[in-house]
Amino acid sequence: METTVGIVGGGPAGLLLARLLHARGVACVVLESRDRGYVERRQRAGILEQGTVDVLRACGAGERMDREGLVHDGIELRFDGRAYRVDLPTLTGGRRVTVYAQTEVVRDLISLQLAEGPPLLFDATVTAVEGADTARPVVHYRRDGVDARLDCDYVVGCDGFHGVTRTVPPPAARRVVERGYPYSWFGILADVPPSSDELVYAHSPRGFALASMRSPHVSRLYFQVPNGTDPADWSDTEIWAELASRFETVGDWRLRTGPITARSVLPMRSSVTEPMRHGRLFLAGDAAHIVPPTGAKGLNLAVADVVELARAFGRLHDDGSPDLLDAYSATRLRAVWRAEHFSHFMTSTLHLAPDQDPFATRLQLAQLHRIADSRHAAAELAENYAGFAPPDPLAG
């Protein structure tokens, strides 16, 4: 096959980019190593910034999201026996967030892609990308036991941290800046209505906890655990007791409990690959950067990446100008590092490090009290959490 843009990876970033390129008249092909069922079941983030919601609507993928997504006007910080609500619209000029699982975003985009978009090939395992620094890169892949190739003008890597494209640039041409964290998230899905109408972020003497949801009837909850924790070592009773202790606060709020249907442990790390371009290869989403989940930035950063790429390829298609493509890496890295900073701030403020001394804990509480007592501090958090609207992907 031949195409203008070869997209490696059929997750939300690759699928959305294909949708946006199709709208701009730019030919593309998506290669995804997994089968459709696996991709649609892959559990990831569920918080969509206002800008992400607007982009999904603009590309025709917003109908079910608008019907089933849960719009949130705030989040709650719980600490030192206190509960403080951050009102997002008031502090950001009207921006909100929407709870709509990544699995549902992917299902919507796949349906659109298969119905009216450019080719989407599942079970197409990319084995190599050659000629990224030439005028005609080649993506080699294997499908149905047969080796094949996709000749492109450009390649976009949306295949995640462990994908092929991130390591295509030689070591001398890339730099990976990373940070690990000495704790993980123990996450559960439970068949019980959420205990709160909005997300609750808790700092407690026992560590961090987050109360979230997937729907009005399904709760998604997390709590901080040591790295290497085995989910099987915790009984359901122990999980609920630990969560209840971490969310404890003044007032009559109670944690709702129910059958736990899934459990997993999520290691946490930060990583940025610089630059996000090598010749005619561009990196987007997790292939370029990883953030800890505390700030709810991962999926939204990926959307902003592909919006910028869609604008850049659209400009090139319309008038032959490569200016936006040439600026892509520098433009996105500024935003990526802003998101890394916010995600690290949320993580380091809400979690307890192993053997953390009382001085460090008091500093965390001082920061949280400042957010609750200062409109300026609360607005800073709200603006970063709700996100900044990306440019119109369908505009010039």
Side-chain angles (χ1 to χ4, degrees):
M1 288 191 298
E2 295 184 358
T3 193
T4 302
V5 181
I7 301 172
V8 182
L15 292 167
L16 179 59
L17 177 60
R19 183 71 181 162
L20 296 174
L21 292 180
H22 180 62
R24 295 296 297 262
V26 179
C28 63
V29 174
V30 182
L31 303 175
E32 166 55 45
S33 63
R34 302 285 192 163
D35 62 60
R36 178 178 179 177
Y38 180 93
V39 175
E40 291 184 337
R41 292 191 301 269
R42 193 159 42 194
Q43 292 286 340
R44 293 291 187 274
I47 306 298
L48 308 183
E49 296 174 1
Q50 184 68 59
T52 297
V53 168
D54 293 342
V55 169
L56 292 172
R57 287 174 179 156
C59 76
E63 180 180 349
R64 195 161 67 93
M65 174 188 67
D66 286 335
R67 186 173 66 249
E68 300 178 11
L70 306 175
V71 179
H72 286 191
D73 285 343
I75 61 172
E76 181 180 305
L77 300 178
R78 193 167 291 190
F79 59 95
D80 206 18
R82 182 175 183 180
Y84 172 72
R85 182 176 181 271
V86 180
D87 189 292
L88 299 177
T90 300
L91 295 167
T92 64
R95 295 199 298 277
R96 296 168 167 82
V97 297
T98 297
V99 176
Y100 189 62
Q102 178 174 309
T103 51
E104 307 311 312
V105 173
V106 168
R107 288 189 181 104
D108 296 341
L109 290 170
I110 286 176
S111 295
L112 287 169
Q113 185 79 359
L114 295 178
E116 55 189 66
L120 165 59
L121 304 183
F122 292 107
D123 295 305
T125 302
V126 172
T127 55
V129 176
E130 291 183 347
D133 52 358
T134 70
R136 194 67 172 165
V138 178
V139 180
H140 296 274
Y141 66 98
R142 187 170 182 82
R143 189 169 189 246
D144 297 329
V146 177
D147 291 326
R149 60 185 280 163
L150 175 64
D151 293 82
C152 322
D153 293 331
Y154 298 91
V155 178
V156 178
C158 300
D159 51 343
F161 184 82
H162 299 290
V164 171
T165 60
R166 194 174 73 89
T167 58
V168 168
R174 61 184 166 94
R175 177 175 63 178
V176 180
V177 185
E178 296 181 296
R179 168 163 291 183
Y181 295 88
Y183 35 70
S184 300
W185 276 15
F186 193 127
I188 65 167
L189 282 171
D191 285 339
V192 60
S195 301
S196 175
D197 293 335
E198 296 174 337
L199 273 67
V200 178
Y201 289 80
H203 175 289
S204 86
R206 297 183 63 85
F208 168 79
L210 170 62
S212 182
M213 67 281 294
R214 281 292 177 262
S215 76
H217 309 290
V218 177
S219 293
R220 181 69 158 156
L221 299 108
Y222 303 91
F223 60 99
Q224 171 189 345
V225 293
N227 289 338
T229 295
D230 185 346
D233 290 341
W234 287 72
S235 70
D236 290 10
T237 300
E238 290 171 330
I239 291 170
W240 287 120
E242 186 66 28
L243 285 166
S245 69
R246 297 194 188 194
F247 288 117
E248 185 177 2
T249 187
V250 295
D252 58 359
W253 187 90
R254 293 292 181 271
L255 178 68
R256 294 174 177 170
T257 64
I260 296 174
T261 59
R263 62 179 71 196
S264 61
V265 171
L266 173 67
M268 302 174 68
R269 66 177 181 272
S270 299
S271 176
V272 179
T273 298
E274 301 175 327
M276 292 171 61
R277 175 185 185 176
H278 175 67
R280 292 188 170 223
L281 167 70
F282 297 83
L283 301 179
D286 287 359
H289 41 71
I290 298 288
V291 293
T294 326
K297 295 290 119 185
L299 174 58
N300 297 291
L301 268 183
V303 167
D305 288 345
V306 300
V307 165
E308 189 62 31
L309 281 171
R311 292 179 65 240
F313 284 122
R315 174 77 62 84
L316 184 68
H317 176 268
D318 293 344
D319 59 24
S321 173
D323 59 340
L324 293 181
L325 278 179
D326 291 341
Y328 168 73
S329 181
T331 299
R332 289 306 306 146
L333 281 172
R334 285 193 296 272
V336 167
W337 279 110
R338 175 64 255 164
E340 290 283 1
H341 181 273
F342 175 67
S343 298
H344 177 71
F345 164 77
M346 290 286 285
T347 302
S348 59
T349 301
L350 291 166
H351 293 72
L352 300 184
D355 301 319
Q356 179 164 301
D357 62 73
F359 188 85
T361 301
R362 296 308 299 174
L363 290 178
Q364 291 176 321
L365 293 172
Q367 179 61 58
L368 290 167
H369 279 289
R370 171 165 167 74
I371 293 169
D373 298 337
S374 165
R375 181 182 176 88
H376 295 292
E380 173 74 7
L381 186 151
E383 287 186 346
N384 281 281
Y385 192 89
F388 299 93
D392 184 349
L394 305 182

